[in-house]
Amino acid sequence: MARVLKNKELINTRLAANYGGWTYCDQCDENIGYLCYSTYDKLELNYKCQCGSHGSVCIEFDDSQEGKECDDELIIIKNRLCCPKDNEPLITVLEKKLISYEMKITCKSCGSIYKKGK
């Protein structure tokens, strides 16, 4: 079932689909990651691409629940950053394509807010 977007703000960034899929830097058109469609509730991503462009993604849905901050680390399964509580894949960040990034992503199933950066 398609989700209804509450907020979608992309700066210097393009998504392959409405709220997921391959993620690209608009400046150099390089693939910088993959956002899983149905497993996250909210994403805030700010990055600096290898090309020097600064970009960001902010997406949340009408049915998003208020998340809970946690200190847990995301786990990596088949190059995807996953929730450690249920192994749900959330996002892939191609760190080699980025100079730096800061991310907060909320798992839809458990409501945990995970932070990661470089």
Side-chain angles (χ1 to χ4, degrees), residues 29-84:
D29 208 34
E30 283 288 326
N31 178 358
I32 61 165
Y34 183 87
L35 180 57
C36 299
Y37 292 91
S38 60
T39 56
Y40 75 98
D41 245 359
K42 183 175 181 178
L43 170 68
E44 295 174 59
L45 172 67
N46 293 295
Y47 66 90
K48 183 173 183 184
C49 182
Q50 288 287 350
C51 73
S53 176
H54 291 267
S56 66
V57 177
C58 182
I59 298 176
E60 64 183 313
F61 302 94
D62 273 346
D63 63 350
S64 292
Q65 302 297 312
E66 190 66 33
K68 307 173 288 295
E69 298 273 337
C70 75
D71 292 328
D72 296 342
E73 295 284 326
L74 291 164
I75 59 172
I76 298 173
I77 300 173
K78 296 182 181 176
N79 88 340
R80 294 249 195 307
L81 293 169
C82 302
C83 175

